[in-house]
Amino acid sequence: MGREVSESCVDSLLTEMVSSYCDRFYANKPELAARRIEAIGFQVGHQLSERYTMERPRFSDNLEAIKFICKDFWSELFKKQIDNLKTNHKGTFVLQDNRFRWLARMSIDPSSEDGDLSQDNSAPVTENKAAQATSMHLYFPCGIIRGALSNLGIPCAVSADISSLPACSFVVRIKA
Amino acid sequence: MIVCVAVVGHQNNPLYIQSFTEADDALKLHHIVHCSLDVIDERVNNPKKSGPTLNETFLGLLYPTENYKVYGYLTNTKVKFIVVTTDLDVRDADVRNFFRKFHVAYVDAVSNPFHVPGKKITSRTFAERVSTIVKSFGLSSAG
Amino acid sequence: MANFLAQFQTIKNSCDHLVIAVEDVSDLWPIVKDWFEERLPFKRASLNNKTRNPVFVEKLAAEFILTTDSRLRSRFPQEQLLFWFREPYATVVLVTCEDLDEFRTILKPRLKLIVQNDEREWFIVFVSKAQPNNENATKSAKKVYARLEVEFSSKKRERCCKLDIHCPEANFWEDLESKIMESIRNTLDRRVQFYEDEIRKLSEQRFMPVWNFCNFFILKESLAFMFEMAHLFEDALREYDELELCYLETVNMIGKQRDFGGVDRGDDQAVLLNPGNKPLTQIVQDDSFREFEFRQYLFACQSKLLFKLNRAFEVASRGYSFIISFSKALALHENILPFCMREVWVITACLDVVNATASHYVDGLVAPDIEKEFYRLQGDLYSLCRVKFMRLAYLIGYGTEIERSPVNSASLSMLPWPKPAIWPSVPPDALSEVFSKEKMILQETRRVKHFGIQRKPLPLEPSLLLREANRRRASLSAGNMFEMFEGRPVFNEGSGSEASTKMSPSQKVRSGVMSRTNSSPGNFESAIDRPMRLAEIYIAAEHALQHTISNPSLWKSLSALEEFEQKYLELTKGAADNYHRSWWKRHGVVLDGEIAAVCFKHRNIDLAAKSYEKVCALYAGEGWQDLLAEVLPNLAECQKILNDEAGYLSSCVRLLSLDKGLFSSKERQAFQLEVVNLAHSEMKNPVPLDVSSLITFSGNPGPPLELCDGDPGTLSVTVWSGFPDDITLDSLSLTLMATSNGDEGVKALRSTSATVLEPGRNNITLDLPPQKPGSYVLGVLTGQIGHLRFRSHSFSKGAPVDGDDFMIYEKPTRPILKVFKPRALVDLAAAISSALLINEPQWVGIIVRPMDYSLKDAVLQIDTGPGLAIEKSHVIEMESYADVSQSAADVGKSDAAHKNGSLAIDKHFEQLRLNDGRIVFPGWANNVTSVLWIPIRAISDRLARGSSSVSPQRQSIVDGMRTIALKLEFGVSHNQIFERTLAVHFTDPFHVNTRIADKCNDGTLLLQVILQSEVKATLTIYDAWLDLQDGFAHTRKGDGRPNPGFIPLVISPNSRAGILFSICFEMSNAEEEAKAPQPDSILNIRYGISGDRTIGAHPPAVESPGPEVVRQDLIFRSALVLKRPVLDPCLAVGFLPLRSGGLRVGQLVNMKWRVERLKDFEENEVLKDDDEVLYEVNANSDNWMIAGRKRGHASLSMKQGSRIVITILCVPLVAGYVRPPQLGLPDVDEANISCNPAGPHLVCVLPPALSSSFCIPA
């Protein structure tokens, strides 16, 4: 399917935001940068949820809201639904997206590694560098989810982890 | 004729309240809106009462007062829209329609990045849109 | 058919229970009557409801009636049909018989005759009077009964039962009851069936012209009534509901509109609970039902049933909606109804329903949510009633007494005026009342709010009563009303009271006219043509109402102001209390506010304050500031009256912190004034006032203030004041909280000086005492206004939004102050490491190195240790210090620079004065490393001793050491202190070493003096001479100077030079004896030094050395020791051979030396008694371990040949050929010692014997 321009704009906007927060504003304070990015995401999600829940009956319970996030909200944002939703029925939900758009075109450039590192330990280094970079990019969607849910009256904490690169799963812990 | 519209935040705090009477007796409308929150609380807190309109955003008529009517609308984000109208035969369809338009306007207003969530809505555009919607409602119910 | 109505009603009223007919065939009833009737009412009946489902009915009332009774006699068939519900529901046939033949011949045909009519449900009770002991009697009775059963019971139905009078069977009564029930059930079913068919027939043709509601009504109600009798209330209720429905849609159809009713006396009182209030015949006139009565009638029936069903809640809810809808109906017919009929009716209706439901309602019977709703409905009814009541009160002129609060305004100003066909006019006899009313209107003054708040009062009327009333009067057209009012714009807005006051002048004019018109009623009639005045309207309304209201108590409560207020209070309380028990808390609280208003009026301030508190809390909690702004001043007023200072102040503060737009600046200033006045007045118990909403504060944007440990600083804070005017804070203090450690707790900074806060942003600087290391955030702002202590916790909302305020994200409070851990801020070090000249004025250099910390006006205290003095005569020099490498590079240059006192261009140089040991640093030295040159002189009085082979020991370093204690005070307020003690090393320029080089045979001795330079500077010797001790003399009459060819002699640093003197023994003579003997000889050296003070010793500091270099000569004197005899052995040291067997590692061994005097000294030799020798053993300590003393004195007589043996116990430590320990005699010149036998050069040490221990006794 052909990508639309706006989409790529969003992609580059995201990367630009992440880089400017991580490398410029809060160069040596990653956790602060993460918080700011997450906060921006929060506001975005807050407003989007307002818009996307128009014209629909109110949710009777948390599960409905989460489902809404997985289905309608996600497809509004990414033209696809969450692929897999798991829950422990104690307020923790795992939303898995097998091909998360904002990671889809992300890759680690091995040449960025300095060559003199011997092969065996350069691999892990690449790994966790990749992890850092991508996790930085994931604070924004986490914020979006958190913002949306909290605007729906569900205070929660959202974290994300990457199993294998384009796939990614968000963990929502609802504050009791 | 609609005499007052209001947006009330999820903590029951007024976000926007506008009366359309020429007399400066807005306070009584504030009072009406504020008290109608009781009804909304009641509806939401015991769903049995809300019956068929379970979880529907449109809450219908809140007050069966003999002089004016108060209609309510509760969004998914626990934001309440409240309309006070003085004409006593109003078709629900009109009110629903009104609320739909109003909700769109509201969403546009709060999507403004400079709007602080939970704070009063000060956007002038919003005010203008609302007044036009109110006028149009007057017409539709009249005709 | 309508003519049955009357009868119908009487029947209904007469009978209210089922009837059971008793066919007493053989006169048994009197006997069994009591037994039968004590079964009544039936405990538990099972009947079928309308939908033929079994229902169980408790205590079904019924009555046994003999068929011979008149009540069951003679009915016209069709009315029998119509009122079928009253016919018996079962027939009990009582028979007895002993004889079979009698039964067959007489009883059977008779029974057959009775039961042939299958209209009724019958069964037979056979009563046997037979005594149980009477055998054949009982037998025959049995026979007959069996017979009876055969005859009358069938397969499908058991119609007989047997009662033994004497011993009734146990289950007889149950059997009987069940039979009765069965019959009743069947009858009921049949009749229901019948009525339903009838009703269906009718309702099919209901929209045809022939349709007659009356028939329908009678049938329907009969059915309903029947159900009611059978205790099937549900069904009965349903019937009534259907009836009402049908009525509303048939009778109220257009065209069929008949007279409405409600014009009779007493109709103003609603009758919602008493169906029998009016006979149906009145309600129905030529088979049209008057809506007014009939709908109330229906509702009454319904409510009756509902109460029987214990559903008071439903009565309330139906009642409320009925009242609403019915008052609409009343509104439609208002023009035919009496004045304000509608309002009065609603009031009474509401009160009826409220009281009835309240009395019938039992708590806890229904689900909690139903209960809540029930109370809500009660509240609704009360408040509806309340509104109507207020409306009436306003109409008769109590409007000014009604609080113009939002709630009242909301309910009244949207409630239309009554619309009578013609507005009532003043009765002719009421003029006096009019006048009194006018007086009242004139006198009444609107209560002005506290703080002098000016508000346009909220309206209590939908439109101006004056115009409304006049418009509705027959003779005036709305037209001229208008132009007459446009003349007076005041009428278009504002309340009636205003209007009247404005009108007063015209009244003055009119009053004359009035008084004249009084005389002739004719004129008065004509007075209708002119518009009524307010007073007149009031009076007219009052009179009209008096006619309308039939309920005396209601009228009473309108007749006088106190009565009105009492009723008003009662209604309001009722509404509030019920709302409080429902979901509608807000309604409740708001009404509490109304109660408070009344309490306030009656000076019941305490109560008022409490209620107002609640209302304010409600509005404040949800941020409805507009409404809050309306109530808060009232609360404040109460608190002021109650003298509750704390409350009053906080109210003022809350008022101030409301939206600016809500009050005019004048009012806000008034609030502030109140606060300030109260603060400066004597407050009995000053409580801290929380002004968090009003005064907020924040650190300045940007990085936090950074301080070094122990430094004070000044903290500048932004404070936002919400006061409309400048306000003076007598004191202000701000707490800092350490983020790192909680226990570190809170530090308060206070500025005792009064600060003036302008409205809006203020910058305040507080001076900050030294804090512990850590980072701090702002805590709480406290302060003092007069006697008032206030507190503010909240950080500025007004503070510049730095990015993520708009994100709902808990922002951590920014640290405002960072205090660093203690670290070295400055370093003081000696500029040189090498020694300086002792006893000479010298420059000692101290390097002052600030470590990125300013030394602004730092002060150095110098304190010299013992034996060291600062040359007061000299100034102290300070210059910026280039780091070592550079200075090493251009040492010459800097050297030159100092020589001629001119400064290098790139360097700072400054001369400083020392006053009482303190030096103040110049500004330029704040941040650059500088060196401080201090002129000092180390004093040592002892004469330097040269060393010779005889006395080789040299002076130790220690006695050249001097110390300088330095104390540097710096930092913002000299709070930082750096102390260091520098050690400076001083020394003589030379160390002198002498030896007798040679001895010529003519007796001249060559004395060699070796001069060792001790300083890092070039020394030049210009002259040297020797003052000899006794016994020595210079050869060849000289001055004892060395060969001038050597002079001047230059000694570069750390090098040595020698000078030769030739001397000889001197014969002592008498005159030599005379003068004091000179113990030792003195070497004098005149020398010059050229050195750089940055390196070490240098020419003595002189006051302002001139431009041309003057050579300054210094004198150095050193004592020498010359000893005789010279160069011939007088002692012999012999090494005694070791015992054989050699040495082993770890074996103790004795080393022995023999010391022997070879010759005794000349007698004339005067020496310190020399009968003992100093010995010393030198050994390489890694080869040997010496046990015992290495050094000591051994006594040896002066005789020639006297000898001693010195034994040293020692252990060899390593194997191999090692040098053995040597014995030396330090006091004796080597030249005077002959060694024989000489000790071995090396000895052989064997490795240790294989042994567990190293120590084998020798």
Side-chain angles (χ1 to χ4, degrees), chain C residues 55 872 1026 1188:
Chain C
V55 207
K872 294 288 189 302
L1026 197 58

Side-chain angles (χ1 to χ4, degrees), chain C residues 881-939:
Chain C
Y881 177 77
D883 59 357
V884 187
S885 60
Q886 186 225 336
S887 71
D890 56 6
V891 60
K893 170 171 158 296
S894 62
D895 185 3
H898 300 131
K899 285 277 187 308
N900 53 23
S902 73
L903 332 171
I905 301 88
D906 62 338
K907 291 189 164 186
H908 298 278
F909 179 85
E910 186 160 343
Q911 296 195 326
L912 306 169
R913 278 278 164 206
L914 179 76
N915 37 15
D916 52 36
R918 302 166 64 86
I919 304 169
V920 179
F921 280 22
W924 55 262
N926 285 354
N927 297 316
V928 299
T929 313
S930 54
V931 58
L932 199 64
W933 292 111
I934 305 167
I936 53 170
R937 181 200 293 270
I939 300 101

Side-chain angles (χ1 to χ4, degrees), chain A residues 7-28:
Chain A
E7 198 174 316
S8 46
C9 286
V10 171
D11 285 2
S12 34
L13 176 63
L14 172 61
T15 40
E16 187 46 44
M17 174 181 71
V18 170
S19 67
S20 51
Y21 269 109
C22 296
D23 309 340
R24 224 170 308 144
F25 303 153
Y26 301 109
N28 45 9

Side-chain angles (χ1 to χ4, degrees), chain C residues 259-275:
Chain C
D259 97 19
F260 176 76
V263 289
D264 312 351
R265 180 77 183 141
D267 274 349
D268 61 305
Q269 300 185 55
V271 280
L272 294 183
L273 303 164
N274 170 12

Side-chain angles (χ1 to χ4, degrees), chain C residues 44 70 119 179 191 309 338 355 399 424 625 694 774 808 816 954 1005 1055 1135 1221 1243:
Chain C
R44 202 154 190 297
S70 62
E119 276 300 303
K179 285 204 161 41
R191 293 183 183 170
L309 288 166
N355 298 331
Q625 297 206 343
L694 197 53
I808 314 167
I816 182 128
R954 313 178 43 177
L1005 306 170
S1055 61
F1135 182 77
V1243 293

